[in-house]
Amino acid sequence: MASVNKVILVGHLGKDPEVRYLDNNVSVCSFPFATSETYTKDGVRIKHTEWHNIVMWRNLAEMAVKYLQKGKLAYIEGRLRTRNYEDKEGTRRYVTEIVGESFKLLGRPSDFGQTGKSTSSEEEKHDGGKDEEVDFSENDGDVDGLPF
């Protein structure tokens, strides 16, 4: 039986994506990503924020650095990956991160610096805050075999 490793998140960037280049000029970017939920406990409204480590590779990393910014709302699809390493003291550490395979910018056109489109209909000029999406998908293969 096949298995599924799929993560879908909608939230806000905690920092601007940081890019670095590995051997053969392979680009990788990473950034923290926050998702929040609100619930009521004993009559008190509580907001819980969960932080996720996002990693994107190659062309998708380049697009993320270009388009994603701290605080922006985004939709991210990817897969969960856990890696381990030894720290300076020789202790084995484990890191769980989401390897992003695609993302969409979410929000109003004004969130992206657009002035809006020219229309003749008053209804189209005032869209009531309709959200727009910009889609970015990984299209240059798998990252297996690359160092994490």
Side-chain angles (χ1 to χ4, degrees):
M1 177 182 219
S3 60
V4 176
N5 182 354
K6 185 72 162 182
V7 176
I8 298 173
L9 301 171
V10 174
H12 294 87
L13 275 77
K15 286 176 37 178
D16 287 345
E18 296 176 0
V19 68
R20 62 187 188 281
Y21 296 91
L22 306 177
D23 297 338
N24 299 330
N25 210 28
V26 173
S27 57
V28 59
C29 80
S30 59
F31 54 92
F33 194 75
T35 56
S36 298
E37 64 178 314
T38 305
Y39 59 93
T40 303
K41 183 177 180 181
D42 300 326
V44 177
R45 192 167 176 89
I46 299 172
K47 182 177 181 180
H48 174 75
T49 300
E50 190 72 38
W51 288 93
H52 313 276
N53 298 314
I54 309 294
V55 176
M56 294 182 179
W57 292 86
R58 299 184 181 93
N59 291 341
L60 191 61
E62 298 292 334
M63 287 188 286
V65 168
K66 184 175 179 181
Y67 293 103
L68 294 176
Q69 298 172 351
K70 178 182 177 177
K72 294 294 183 182
L73 181 64
Y75 169 97
I76 296 178
E77 281 191 32
R79 64 183 183 275
L80 208 56
R81 174 155 299 163
T82 301
R83 60 183 174 89
N84 63 69
Y85 66 95
E86 278 191 25
D87 65 12
K88 294 176 183 175
E89 292 79 36
T91 305
R92 179 156 314 283
R93 302 282 182 181
Y94 294 87
V95 176
T96 300
E97 52 202 11
I98 288 99
V99 177
E101 296 171 342
S102 69
F103 68 87
K104 293 180 183 177
L105 299 172
L106 302 177
R108 295 181 185 94
S110 61
D111 293 341
F112 308 111
Q114 298 173 357
T115 58
K117 42 189 170 181
S118 173
T119 62
S120 59
S121 166
E122 197 64 25
E123 190 173 280
E124 289 177 14
K125 286 182 185 177
H126 301 288
D127 65 0
K130 178 182 165 192
D131 286 349
E132 292 207 0
E133 297 180 359
V134 180
D135 186 12
F136 299 92
S137 298
E138 178 74 50
N139 61 3
D140 57 353
D142 201 353
V143 297
D144 289 339
L146 291 176
F148 282 93

